[in-house]
């Protein structure tokens, strides 16, 4: 998505075009920054067929654990990813309930014009690097069919026990290890 104002001065991306907004970072809720977050949030919700928008500037600046990652190119934002910690109750195959507080992938969107070009993988792997984590350790809030395919293709992650809370935690969260494609 292309913006009319100078995106670089608002998002201040690094040399790879990635900007990371964390609660303790120096970003202030300027009109332009809120506009970027809100527009990408709307596009993501539409792409996922959601009625409620997951990512808004109000929610982001009102929370103290969410992180936002943007992939930019010139004056365009190509993708966005949001993470945060959530306390979850996980039920395994035999009904045993465990309380976990994993890092969660809460929202993930790559613009339609550049999907399937590797930008999603770039954003996801930057997040994994920044968090010093691994794909099998990340819970996912309501993964879409495209995201399930993404996780299977890039990380060989496919097996999980469906949960009432709609979060997906792969079985390898508990067994460890992952394969890269
Ligand atoms: N149909 C099926 N699988 C797809 C599609 C698609 N249209 N697009 C991407 N994928 C999966 C496939 O596994 C694909 O590999 P393939 O092309 O060999 O089949 C792989 O992703 C491609 O990897 P990337 O190019 O790195 O992925 P991309 O840049 O497209 O980003 C993402 C993946 C974020 C899922 C993107 O397609 C997207 O924004 N989709 C629409 C919104 C969405 O579904 N977001 C996730 C919601 S769940 C959540 O946010 C927690």
């Amino acid at each position: 998505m292309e913006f009319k104002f100078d995106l670089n001065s608002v998002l201040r991306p690094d040399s790879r075009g990635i900007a990371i907004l964390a609660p303790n970072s120096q970003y202030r809720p300027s009109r332009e920054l809120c506009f970027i977050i809100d527009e990408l949030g709307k596009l993501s919700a539409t792409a996922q067929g959601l009625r409620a928008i997951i990512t808004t500037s109000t929610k982001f600046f009102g929370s103290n654990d969410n992180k936002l990652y943007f992939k930019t190119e010139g004056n365009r934002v190509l993708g966005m990813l949001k993470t945060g910690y959530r306390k979850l109750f996980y039920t395994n195959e035999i009904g045993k309930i465990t309380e976990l507080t994993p890092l969660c992938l809460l929202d993930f969107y790559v613009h339609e014009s550049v999907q399937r070009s590797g930008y999603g993988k770039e954003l996801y792997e930057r997040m994994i690097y920044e968090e010093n984590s691994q794909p099998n350790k990340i819970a996912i809030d309501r993964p879409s069919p495209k995201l399930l395919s993404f996780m299977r293709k890039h990380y060989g992650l496919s097996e999980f026990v469906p949960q009432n809370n709609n979060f997906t935690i792969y079985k390898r969260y508990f067994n460890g290890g992952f394969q890269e494609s």
Side-chain angles (χ1 to χ4, degrees):
M1 173 177 194
E2 180 134 18
F3 290 87
K4 295 220 161 66
F5 46 82
D6 178 19
L7 199 62
N8 289 322
S9 65
V10 180
L11 283 180
R12 304 193 299 275
D14 64 15
S15 58
R16 295 183 171 164
I18 293 195
I20 305 172
L21 280 66
N24 57 357
S25 57
Q26 301 301 311
Y27 293 92
R28 295 286 160 261
S30 68
R31 203 158 56 93
E32 288 86 358
L33 183 54
C34 291
F35 184 68
I36 295 167
I37 297 171
D38 291 335
E39 288 303 300
L40 267 295
K42 277 191 250 171
L43 286 173
S44 180
T46 305
Q48 297 177 56
L50 302 175
R51 265 178 291 143
I53 299 173
I54 311 279
T55 303
T56 68
S57 56
T58 311
K59 284 189 207 164
F60 176 71
F61 286 108
S63 95
N64 54 13
D65 87 328
N66 289 348
K67 255 192 215 173
L68 272 173
Y69 296 75
F70 289 100
K71 169 70 183 176
T72 70
E73 198 175 79
N75 239 25
R76 294 191 301 157
V77 174
L78 304 182
M80 174 200 70
L81 182 158
K82 182 168 87 167
T83 60
Y85 287 89
R86 294 288 181 273
K87 189 201 270 192
L88 303 174
F89 290 95
Y90 174 81
T91 311
N92 74 4
E93 294 99 323
I94 57 163
K96 182 171 174 267
I97 298 173
T98 314
E99 189 182 312
L100 306 167
T101 310
L103 182 65
C104 300
L105 181 59
L106 301 173
D107 202 1
F108 191 14
Y109 170 72
V110 168
H111 193 268
E112 280 71 11
S113 60
V114 289
Q115 282 177 16
R116 286 185 140 155
S117 309
Y119 293 113
K121 186 166 192 258
E122 185 184 349
L123 263 178
Y124 186 86
E125 295 201 346
R126 180 60 179 270
M127 178 274 288
I128 291 290
Y129 172 81
E130 295 291 331
E131 297 292 341
N132 196 16
S133 189
Q134 292 191 340
N136 58 312
K137 288 290 180 190
I138 310 288
I140 309 175
D141 189 6
R142 289 173 200 271
S144 63
K146 289 183 187 180
L147 188 57
L148 289 173
S149 162
F150 175 94
M151 296 307 297
R152 193 179 317 112
K153 177 193 165 107
H154 294 306
Y155 309 108
L157 289 168
S158 59
E159 286 184 47
F160 60 89
V161 179
Q163 303 290 305
N164 286 335
N165 59 19
N166 293 315
F167 276 82
T168 290
I169 296 180
Y170 288 102
K171 287 189 180 172
R172 280 205 260 140
Y173 179 94
F174 305 96
N175 309 339
F178 71 95
Q179 302 150 0
E180 250 194 289
S181 63

